[in-house]
Amino acid sequence: MPSWSGILNELNENRTFDIPPDFDGIRRKYLAALHQHTKRNVILYASGWLQETAAPSEHLSIGDEDIQALMEVTYGLSGDTLDLILHSPGGSPEAAEAVVSYLRARFSHIRVIVPHLAMSAACMIACAADEIVLGKHSFLGPTDPQIIIPTPLGSRLVPAQAILDQFERAKEEASDPGKLSAWLPMLQQYGPDLLVQCQSALDMSETLIESWLENYMFKETSDRSEKAKKAAAWFANHKAFKSHSRHISRDILIEAGLGLKTTKLETDQELQDLALSVFHVAMHTFGATDATKIVENHMGRAFIKQFRQM
């Protein structure tokens, strides 16, 4: 298997003083080889969020523009099966819903391959697949929604469940006049509809995952409704994970007994070699170019988002 350094060496083979490495050509070579191996459509969706960049979050996260990208890369594809190589920090749950709606209308069987990280809304998309392929180095992330809260130090993302828990704690402690003064500055920064927003965000996250699991991954399971509800609540449980950035490994998923259809990437060595080669080239592309997001198919059609710092 070409390692990270092995792919770098391959990229540098055609590099001269005034000719940069052929990032696009080599990435597309491995995407095409993966298609030849699986006989399934292949789409890479990856962003350079782990690389040092000044790009704004909308360049890196799942957003509404991704539908345009997917329209571009699904054009001309034949067949109704898809391998989606997914590497993303997440983003808008509403945009993730649109992505799932579009892909499920186009493909009857979707396999999500996670070469490294599919966090938050990206994990939600993975839960809309028929199968998730994970390696020892692959991780999903909790799906508990985050709320943007303005503070004197700037806006920050706060778990919706943490805000609800904090208000419950405030109700208990603020009854003591001696503690009320400590709570007031904190509570005054929250809008009047915040609790409703938090509960609605939590409900939407769980409802979407529950629906997708029931209709796709668990569709042939007799108790699919109960299993889907349990899995959706498990992924959204902020109290259990403690952090929205918590890495959920393949072993943790299996131990949780959720019944998700997960396949070990190592089971098919050639699949692993090719998928990770695609991933390594993408990471080198992000590290050495202005690209911040790559959505690309095995036929070479691509939608590449770029950010150039002035």
Side-chain angles (χ1 to χ4, degrees):
M1 175 183 67
S3 62
W4 186 91
S5 59
I7 292 292
L8 181 60
N9 290 335
E10 182 177 355
L11 286 165
N12 286 328
E13 285 178 359
N14 70 328
R15 183 177 189 174
T16 64
F17 178 75
D18 51 357
I19 300 178
D22 186 11
F23 294 104
D24 293 346
I26 294 176
R27 196 176 59 250
R28 289 164 188 171
K29 178 187 78 171
Y30 285 112
L31 280 166
L34 181 54
H35 167 68
Q36 288 299 316
H37 173 63
T38 64
K39 308 304 180 186
R40 297 165 60 92
N41 293 302
V42 182
I43 292 176
L44 167 69
Y45 179 106
S47 69
W49 56 293
L50 298 182
Q51 282 68 31
E52 184 176 348
T53 177
S57 61
E58 57 264 27
H59 277 251
L60 306 168
S61 303
I62 296 169
D64 287 329
E65 188 182 37
D66 291 335
I67 293 298
Q68 183 178 346
L70 290 169
M71 289 173 63
E72 174 67 24
V73 302
T74 56
Y75 179 80
L77 295 182
S78 61
D80 60 355
T81 61
L82 172 67
D83 283 344
L84 177 65
I85 303 175
L86 182 61
H87 176 71
S88 169
S92 162
E94 294 85 353
E97 181 182 19
V99 166
V100 169
S101 177
Y102 181 78
L103 291 179
R104 293 299 340 192
R106 175 65 179 79
F107 301 100
S108 65
H109 189 279
I110 298 176
R111 183 168 62 170
V112 168
I113 301 171
V114 181
H116 188 192
L117 296 168
M119 307 296 285
S120 191
C123 177
M124 294 175 67
I125 292 174
C127 287
D130 297 272
E131 177 184 350
I132 307 175
V133 182
L134 301 167
K136 297 175 182 177
H137 39 72
S138 305
F139 301 92
L140 303 179
T143 60
D144 59 304
Q146 309 293 287
I147 304 295
I148 300 176
I149 299 294
T151 74
L153 299 177
S155 298
R156 58 185 292 242
L157 285 170
V158 180
Q161 186 62 58
I163 294 172
L164 294 176
D165 292 345
Q166 187 180 53
F167 266 86
E168 288 302 313
R169 183 176 174 183
K171 285 165 58 178
E172 295 176 5
E173 297 189 2
S175 60
D176 181 347
K179 296 180 180 179
L180 178 59
S181 60
W183 277 105
L184 281 176
M186 190 181 306
L187 297 176
Q188 286 172 347
Q189 65 183 308
Y190 297 150
D193 63 340
L194 183 61
L195 296 181
V196 175
Q197 287 185 39
C198 290
Q199 190 60 58
S200 296
L202 284 164
D203 292 344
M204 182 179 71
S205 173
E206 290 193 38
T207 299
L208 288 175
I209 296 176
E210 182 180 340
S211 173
W212 294 336
L213 287 172
E214 183 175 350
N215 288 325
Y216 306 119
M217 197 175 296
F218 294 159
K219 64 184 177 183
E220 296 179 355
T221 306
S222 58
D223 56 346
R224 61 182 186 174
S225 296
E226 294 79 7
K227 290 181 66 176
K229 188 176 186 65
K230 176 184 175 181
W234 186 85
F235 275 110
N237 192 345
H238 176 74
K239 292 182 179 180
F241 289 114
K242 312 298 184 186
S243 169
H244 191 61
S245 300
R246 196 75 176 268
H247 289 24
I248 303 171
S249 69
R250 183 178 68 195
D251 289 343
I252 291 175
L253 277 180
I254 295 173
E255 290 169 7
L258 303 174
L260 269 68
K261 188 174 182 181
T262 57
T263 302
K264 294 182 178 181
L265 182 59
E266 300 83 4
T267 301
D268 184 335
Q269 189 61 51
E270 188 170 358
L271 175 67
Q272 177 179 228
D273 291 352
L274 294 171
L276 290 183
S277 294
V278 170
F279 174 68
H280 292 322
V281 182
M283 294 305 102
H284 284 301
T285 307
F286 293 133
T289 73
D290 294 328
T292 55
K293 183 186 290 185
I294 300 171
V295 185
E296 186 170 39
N297 70 18
H298 64 273
M299 298 172 65
R301 295 187 71 94
F303 185 104
I304 300 178
K305 189 84 171 177
Q306 295 181 308
F307 177 80
R308 182 167 298 174
Q309 188 172 7
M310 303 302 291

